[in-house]
């Protein structure tokens, strides 16, 4: 296995176009006349410049002379100087690249070949396509050449090739701005569609009624972080959500498990569905005939559920994106992607080899957010918490500062949820003697599009399953977390909710006449 330094050096040595096309024996895709027309239009028409400068890149121009001219145009535009033939020539002269650009006469000839600048955006698209063709050929040729080299690490080659292809896509396909009018129209359309939906849930329902009422369902393009200490029930909660969506709502869900094998997850699903403890399932000879019949009947729903599990270890973010894209193509109605868990993922390539774990997690977090927007679906990523929760005195309820390895996780996430179960810390009663048995609290510590809240659910440890609280659970044995709730949210039952209003929305915020109350939640 070669060291990271050698690999890094090799990764940076890319074939130039001359070498690539000499090997292939063909002329590279190019459109020199279009390149001349685009550069001429940029120097003659300020509207053409403003409309297309953001979509053009130096690499789009195949001819080196044209690249130097574009550099000068871009620098003038960036520095807010006027762009015309004289200023471009002067900038080239200042940069010492005028002769490399072919001289002042050649630059002037670019403007003489312009018939009209009306179609510059279409011309820019042609240059983009030619560049993509050249890059695909170069990447493919490099891959073929290195694949024939017996000293090449094939895992490294696969990773770098996929990364290069992703870079080509990311650089050349970006969405443009939209006028606010069209966005308002889309928002009004969503509001009208919301009227038709039961319970005011516009996003993907999780099957947990109280949680869905607070979030209005998990929205497309959002990154949701579910964090807790080991053994608190992260995987069980995520798997409960996946099962609810796939079985109850018959929508495809992808689960990427980097910690547990696919068979182990299937065993959990069977335990949760058939209501037979996992330990007894692993000792199949202890099951009664009746239990086997019940298990066979209930598991039938799982057999037909569009639930897809990938247990590839050490999954890189690039592999994840490729797999999700393929799955989205095969199942356009893919409802959610779940990753268990974030800290076990790798950024891949040089980022992983550098050893800077915090920076790597930051990259993964940003890429997961980008993936959710690209595929227009919610991404649920599980995350570990630091040990500060255990060493902290007083309450063991998690805080945003407890997220492990990177503050970027908190920054990129649209929702951060924590799981807290009093039983985990051997608490069976509150201060007033009320039972907390089986109660789990899902704390929405960050909610970009709504209120922070605490939602109570029931945890059945024997089956590793989370459930809605029964409607009649408000009795003498209720949880110490229970507080009077907003009737608009809780009128249909299915769970208990504690809403925390933001102090910034209050007229009394930061008022010296209204000091904060000691027992007010610190949000």
């Amino acid at each position: 296995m070669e060291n990271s330094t050698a690999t890094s050096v090799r990764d940076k040595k890319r074939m130039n176009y001359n070498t690539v096309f000499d090997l292939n024996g063909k002329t590279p895709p190019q459109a020199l006349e279009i390149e001349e027309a685009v550069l001429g239009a940029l120097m003659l028409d300020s509207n053409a410049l403003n409309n297309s400068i953001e979509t053009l890149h130096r690499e789009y121009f195949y001819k080196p002379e044209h690249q130097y001219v574009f550099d000068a145009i871009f620098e003038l535009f960036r520095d807010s100087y006027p762009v015309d033939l004289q200023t471009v020539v002067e900038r080239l002269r200042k940069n010492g690249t005028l002769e490399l650009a072919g001289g002042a006469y050649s630059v002037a000839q670019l403007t003489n070949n312009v018939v009209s600048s009306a179609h510059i955006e279409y011309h820019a698209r042609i240059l983009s396509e030619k560049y993509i063709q050249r890059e695909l050929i170069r990447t493919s040729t490099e891959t073929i050449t290195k694949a024939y080299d017996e000293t090449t690490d094939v895992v490294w080659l696969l990773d770098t090739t996929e990364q290069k292809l992703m870079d080509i896509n990311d650089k050349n396909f970006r969405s443009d701005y939209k006028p606010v009018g069209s966005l308002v129209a889309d928002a009004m359309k969503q509001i009208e569609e919301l009227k038709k939906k039961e319970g005011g849930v516009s996003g993907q329902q999780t099957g947990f009624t109280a949680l869905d009422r607070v979030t209005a369902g998990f929205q497309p393009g959002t990154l949701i972080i579910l964090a807790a200490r080991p053994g608190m029930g992260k995987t069980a909660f995520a798997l409960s959500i996946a099962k609810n969506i796939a079985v109850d709502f018959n929508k495809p869900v992808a689960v990427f498990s980097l910690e547990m094998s696919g068979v182990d997850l299937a065993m959990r699903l069977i335990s949760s569905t058939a209501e037979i403890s996992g330990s007894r399932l692993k000792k199949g000879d202890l099951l009664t005939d009746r239990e086997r019949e019940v298990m066979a009947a209930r598991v039938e729903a799982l057999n037909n559920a569009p639930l897809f599990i990938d247990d590839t270890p050490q999954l890189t973010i690039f592999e994840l994106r490729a797999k999700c894209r393929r799955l989205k193509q095969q199942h356009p109605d893919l409802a959610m992607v779940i990753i268990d868990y974030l800290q076990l993922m790798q950024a891949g390539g040089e980022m992983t080899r550098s050893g800077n774990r915090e920076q790597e997690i930051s990259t993964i977090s940003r890429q997961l957010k980008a993936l959710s927007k690209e595929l227009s679906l919610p991404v649920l990523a599980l995350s570990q918490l630091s040990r500060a929760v255990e060493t902290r005195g007083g309450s063991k309820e998690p805080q945003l500062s407890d997220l492990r390895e990177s503050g970027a996780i908190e920054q990129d996430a649209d929702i951060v949820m924590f799981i807290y179960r009093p039983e985990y810390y051997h608490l069976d009663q509150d201060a007033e003697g009320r039972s907390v048995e089986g109660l789990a609290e899902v704390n929405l510590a960050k909610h970009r599009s709504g209120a922070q809240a605490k939602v109570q659910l029931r945890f059945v440890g024997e089956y590793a399953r989370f459930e809605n609280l029964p409607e009649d659970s408000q009795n003498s044995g209720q949880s110490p977390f229970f507080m009077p709730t907003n009737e608009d949210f809780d009128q249909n039952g299915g769970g208990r909710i504690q809403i925390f209003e933001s102090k910034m929305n209050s007229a009394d915020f930061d008022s010296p006449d209204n000091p904060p109350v000691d027992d007010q939640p610190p949000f």
Side-chain angles (χ1 to χ4, degrees):
M1 182 73 68
E2 50 190 53
N3 59 43
S4 61
T5 302
T7 305
S8 176
V9 170
R10 182 177 62 184
D11 187 29
K12 292 178 181 178
K13 290 182 178 179
R14 299 208 61 188
M15 291 184 177
N16 59 43
Y17 285 145
N18 291 333
T19 302
V20 170
F21 294 103
D22 284 345
L23 288 173
N24 289 290
K26 294 183 178 180
T27 303
Q30 55 186 284
L32 297 184
E33 292 183 357
I34 298 294
E35 290 183 16
E36 294 173 357
V38 168
L39 292 174
L42 292 177
M43 288 187 285
L44 291 177
D45 189 340
S46 60
N47 289 330
L49 178 67
N50 292 329
N51 291 337
S52 60
I53 191 67
E54 288 184 352
T55 63
L56 289 168
H57 299 281
R58 185 182 199 271
E59 298 82 4
Y60 286 5
F61 299 90
Y62 175 74
K63 195 173 181 180
E65 290 89 337
H66 294 167
Q67 293 180 354
Y68 290 116
V69 175
F70 179 77
D71 288 342
I73 293 173
F74 182 81
E75 290 174 10
L76 290 168
F77 180 84
R78 179 195 62 196
D79 298 337
S80 300
Y81 290 120
V83 177
D84 55 37
L85 175 60
Q86 288 74 24
T87 58
V88 169
V89 170
E90 183 59 32
R91 178 55 66 103
L92 286 167
R93 185 177 287 112
K94 181 180 178 180
N95 291 344
T97 55
L98 181 58
E99 295 305 317
L100 294 175
Y105 177 78
S106 295
V107 177
Q109 285 296 108
L110 296 174
T111 60
N112 294 335
N113 295 333
V114 178
V115 178
S116 171
S117 62
H119 306 298
I120 188 170
E121 293 182 34
Y122 179 69
H123 291 162
R125 180 179 174 183
I126 293 176
L127 296 186
S128 169
E129 292 173 350
K130 297 298 181 184
Y131 167 72
I132 292 173
Q133 287 178 283
R134 294 195 298 269
E135 285 298 291
L136 288 174
I137 294 170
R138 171 157 64 177
T139 299
S140 301
T141 304
E142 289 174 341
T143 302
I144 293 171
T145 302
K146 291 173 182 175
Y148 277 114
D149 186 352
E150 293 293 338
T151 64
T152 299
D153 179 356
V154 294
V155 176
W156 169 85
L157 179 59
L158 185 64
D159 181 55
T160 53
T161 301
E162 188 170 19
Q163 182 171 350
K164 289 172 184 176
L165 293 174
M166 292 289 187
D167 290 343
I168 295 173
N169 179 80
D170 292 343
K171 185 174 183 179
N172 294 281
F173 297 101
R174 294 183 177 271
S175 60
D176 201 358
Y177 62 82
K178 296 180 180 179
V180 68
S182 66
L183 297 176
V184 169
D186 291 342
M188 293 297 293
K189 183 178 179 180
Q190 286 188 14
I191 293 172
E192 290 300 318
E193 291 177 351
L194 182 58
K195 293 180 180 179
K196 307 173 186 177
K197 296 191 176 183
E198 184 179 352
V201 178
S202 57
Q204 176 55 56
Q205 293 175 275
T206 64
F208 296 110
T209 312
L211 180 62
D212 290 339
R213 287 203 300 273
V214 173
T215 62
F218 289 154
Q219 304 295 321
T222 58
L223 173 61
I224 303 108
I225 298 295
L226 175 64
R229 289 292 294 155
M232 194 66 75
K234 296 187 300 296
T235 301
F237 187 54
L239 211 55
S240 295
I241 291 176
K243 183 178 76 71
N244 291 344
I245 295 174
V247 176
D248 298 341
F249 302 112
N250 195 32
K251 292 186 178 180
V253 180
V255 177
F256 293 88
S257 176
L258 288 80
E259 184 177 32
M260 299 177 63
S261 71
V263 173
D264 287 337
L265 291 181
M267 193 75 76
R268 281 201 176 193
L269 286 168
I270 294 172
S271 173
S272 172
T273 303
E275 297 185 347
I276 301 174
S277 67
S279 60
R280 296 193 65 220
L281 283 177
K282 293 178 181 179
K283 302 174 183 177
D285 57 331
L286 299 180
L287 298 180
T288 65
D289 292 339
R290 174 58 180 166
E291 286 175 328
R292 292 179 187 277
E293 291 177 5
V294 171
M295 180 173 64
R298 293 186 178 181
V299 169
E300 184 63 28
L302 286 176
N303 291 334
N304 301 319
L307 178 56
F308 305 96
I309 297 176
D310 185 310
D311 60 358
T312 304
Q314 296 182 326
L315 189 69
T316 69
I317 186 63
F318 304 105
E319 292 170 337
L320 175 72
R321 289 176 63 180
K323 290 183 178 184
C324 288
R325 282 169 171 166
R326 288 196 296 269
L327 197 58
K328 181 71 172 179
Q329 289 176 347
Q330 297 168 1
H331 303 275
D333 58 340
L334 182 65
M336 180 178 286
V337 171
I338 299 174
I339 299 105
D340 183 14
Y341 57 90
L342 191 151
Q343 279 80 8
L344 290 179
M345 289 193 68
Q346 296 182 355
E350 186 63 28
M351 181 67 69
T352 297
R353 293 189 290 270
S354 69
N356 189 331
R357 187 57 180 162
E358 183 172 339
Q359 186 176 356
E360 185 176 16
I361 291 295
S362 298
T363 299
I364 294 171
S365 175
R366 287 194 298 271
Q367 291 290 336
L368 289 178
K369 174 60 181 176
L371 178 66
S372 69
K373 295 185 68 176
E374 176 188 346
L375 300 184
S376 188
L377 50 73
V379 172
L380 175 63
L382 279 58
S383 175
Q384 290 280 23
L385 292 177
S386 68
R387 293 179 179 173
V389 179
E390 310 296 338
T391 60
R392 186 166 56 235
S395 174
K396 303 296 185 182
E397 294 187 49
Q399 303 172 2
L400 289 173
S401 58
D402 296 326
L403 286 170
R404 187 175 174 183
E405 289 187 308
S406 177
I409 299 175
E410 175 188 348
Q411 176 181 323
D412 296 329
D414 297 280
I415 296 176
V416 177
M417 303 187 298
F418 296 120
I419 300 176
Y420 174 72
R421 293 192 296 108
E423 284 182 302
Y424 182 87
Y425 295 104
H426 308 293
L427 300 175
D428 55 6
Q429 291 182 339
D430 69 340
E432 300 180 10
R434 295 177 296 188
S435 173
V436 294
E437 181 180 359
L439 281 167
E441 177 186 26
V442 178
N443 177 9
L444 278 72
K446 178 185 178 182
H447 189 191
R448 183 167 286 160
S449 300
Q452 295 167 327
K454 291 182 180 180
V455 174
Q456 292 176 350
L457 302 172
R458 182 188 177 199
F459 177 69
V460 185
E462 184 180 9
Y463 311 134
R465 183 177 70 192
F466 283 77
E467 301 175 344
N468 287 311
L469 286 177
E471 294 183 11
D472 60 351
S473 61
Q474 299 179 15
N475 52 33
S476 59
Q478 65 193 12
S479 162
F481 304 112
F482 175 72
M483 298 182 69
T485 57
N486 184 329
E487 292 182 358
D488 292 335
F489 278 92
D490 205 40
Q491 61 185 351
N492 295 320
R496 295 195 286 253
I497 308 170
Q498 182 181 355
I499 303 291
F500 299 128
E501 295 292 344
S502 171
K503 291 191 291 184
M504 294 185 67
N505 294 330
S506 171
D508 299 327
F509 174 68
D510 209 20
S511 170
D513 298 328
N514 295 276
V517 181
D518 291 339
D519 61 353
Q520 185 173 354
F523 298 104

